[in-house]
Amino acid sequence: MHSVRELLSLFAMNPSAESHSIPLSDGNRIPLLGLGTYGDPRTTPKGTALECVKLAIDVGYRHFDGALVYFNEHEVGQAIREKIADGSVRRQDIFYCGKLWNTFHSPELVRPALERTLEALKLDYLDLYIVELPIAFKPGNDFYPKDGDGNYIYHHTDLCATWEALEACKDAGLVKSLGVSNFNRRQLELLLNKPGLRHKPVSNQVECHPYFTQPKLLEFCRQHNIVIVGYCPLGSSRDASWVNVKCPPLLEDELLVSIGKKYNKSSAQVALRFNVQRGVVVIPKSFSPERIKHNFHK
């Protein structure tokens, strides 16, 4: 965690323009602030993503982070298309990131998976497509295959072969940029050192916030012109199945709250600004209209 002085100096800097974006190594650009669109499909009412993405576009968001396994890409795509149709935005104004799920790592399954996302969105191309995890599950219709004992069924695949299939998708014009998620240094080096590499990963999406600043990974990625995209920028999910909910939430941290009071900002806005001013892209997830607006004015 940074010192009080470091956080204060970061926050006192002139704020970036709301639409600010940074360059990717392949010549494209990515907005520093995006909206995460995950919602538990078991509890999120239908139409929620549709209305929230439309609102977000009206507020000023241009970057949306989604995935096939969120089961709502059809709503996100509909929202984008409706806002294009009413003249609010053009397709080239929107940056959409999709993800290759674990059951589609086999090279012959990569393009069909990407095409499923495009079909759900009803868009012609993705701006960024990333390998969601550096592990593979058994291919099939079940996204979370388990054995009789309830253990996940993994599948041996070659990440370099998966990457080559992604490179072919980029060459075919289905996606503009390629990246990864949850990769450590060794896994990144595996791709960067791959013989015949034609398109290097431009981004690595990982958990990143003031409690988990990822200094070593951030420095390695900077050295290789890989942008860090931080998910959970407001702190880890409070899911009791994998987080100790007895620990205080990040947004109640005394340091963040005190900085917020000094600058008349919330602790959430301070946490977002902390990463943005380090060049880390942030994709806070929210289906709350008020928080969507609040987070944008970081």
Side-chain angles (χ1 to χ4, degrees):
M1 183 103 175
H2 282 231
S3 69
V4 174
R5 180 175 295 178
E6 288 173 316
L7 278 172
L8 285 172
S9 64
L10 279 169
F11 200 71
M13 293 170 61
N14 291 330
S16 303
E18 303 293 2
S19 60
H20 191 57
S21 63
I22 57 175
L24 298 171
S25 63
D26 60 2
N28 295 314
R29 299 184 69 85
I30 183 170
L32 272 165
L33 176 66
L35 179 71
T37 62
Y38 173 75
D40 189 332
R42 297 166 297 183
T43 58
T44 305
K46 291 182 179 180
T48 301
L50 169 64
E51 295 306 319
C52 287
V53 171
K54 287 199 294 183
L55 170 67
I57 291 175
D58 289 339
V59 169
Y61 287 82
R62 296 295 180 262
H63 175 182
F64 298 93
D65 182 85
L68 182 66
V69 295
Y70 295 176
F71 300 102
N72 63 5
E73 284 190 311
H74 60 291
E75 292 188 18
V76 176
Q78 182 181 343
I80 291 170
R81 288 182 284 106
E82 287 185 10
K83 299 311 291 184
I84 291 173
D86 73 12
S88 298
V89 290
R90 302 167 299 170
R91 172 63 185 92
Q92 58 265 40
D93 299 326
I94 297 295
F95 186 99
Y96 185 83
C97 172
K99 303 183 184 74
L100 180 74
W101 181 239
N102 306 359
T103 53
F104 301 103
H105 279 212
S106 297
E108 69 276 9
L109 300 179
V110 170
R111 178 164 177 163
L114 193 160
E115 289 175 335
R116 280 181 65 175
T117 278
L118 289 174
E119 182 180 353
L121 294 166
K122 291 184 169 56
L123 297 177
D124 294 329
Y125 66 89
L126 299 183
D127 298 276
L128 176 63
Y129 197 53
I130 64 178
V131 181
E132 189 158 357
L133 286 160
I135 58 172
F137 287 162
K138 176 185 176 182
N141 294 326
D142 187 353
F143 286 168
Y144 300 91
K146 294 182 179 180
D147 60 23
D149 296 323
N151 299 310
Y152 287 117
I153 304 175
Y154 295 97
H155 185 68
H156 177 73
T157 52
D158 180 356
L159 278 175
C160 289
T162 302
W163 191 257
E164 288 174 1
L166 286 166
E167 289 180 317
C169 291
K170 177 175 166 67
D171 292 339
L174 300 178
V175 57
K176 288 190 170 185
S177 300
L178 300 173
V180 296
S181 180
N182 300 301
F183 273 50
N184 60 28
R185 174 173 177 160
R186 182 184 63 81
Q187 292 153 347
L188 286 169
E189 287 177 333
L190 183 68
L191 294 183
L192 293 172
N193 297 329
K194 186 184 84 67
L197 179 69
R198 292 184 293 110
H199 302 301
K200 64 177 288 187
V202 301
S203 64
N204 185 18
Q205 186 178 128
V206 296
E207 182 176 345
C208 191
H209 48 74
Y211 276 0
F212 191 28
T213 58
Q214 300 273 19
K216 292 182 179 179
L217 185 61
L218 180 58
E219 179 57 30
F220 175 82
C221 286
R222 281 175 174 162
Q223 291 172 0
H224 294 274
N225 292 316
I226 297 172
V227 169
I228 288 286
V229 177
Y231 65 76
C232 295
L234 302 179
S236 299
S237 165
R238 303 294 288 175
D239 186 338
S241 66
W242 62 285
V243 169
N244 181 1
V245 294
K246 293 181 179 180
C247 294
L250 170 68
L251 297 185
E252 295 177 10
D253 181 83
E254 292 181 3
L255 174 59
L256 295 184
V257 171
S258 66
I259 293 173
K261 287 180 179 178
K262 180 178 177 66
Y263 292 97
N264 195 29
K265 297 287 184 178
S266 70
S267 55
Q269 289 169 322
V270 175
L272 293 175
R273 178 64 62 82
F274 167 75
N275 263 335
V276 165
Q277 291 185 180
R278 298 194 303 154
V280 173
V281 174
V282 289
I283 48 171
K285 170 183 73 71
S286 181
F287 284 153
S288 161
E290 289 309 311
R291 288 177 183 164
I292 288 172
K293 296 174 187 176
H294 183 80
N295 291 340
F296 187 74
H297 299 290
K298 57 194 181 297

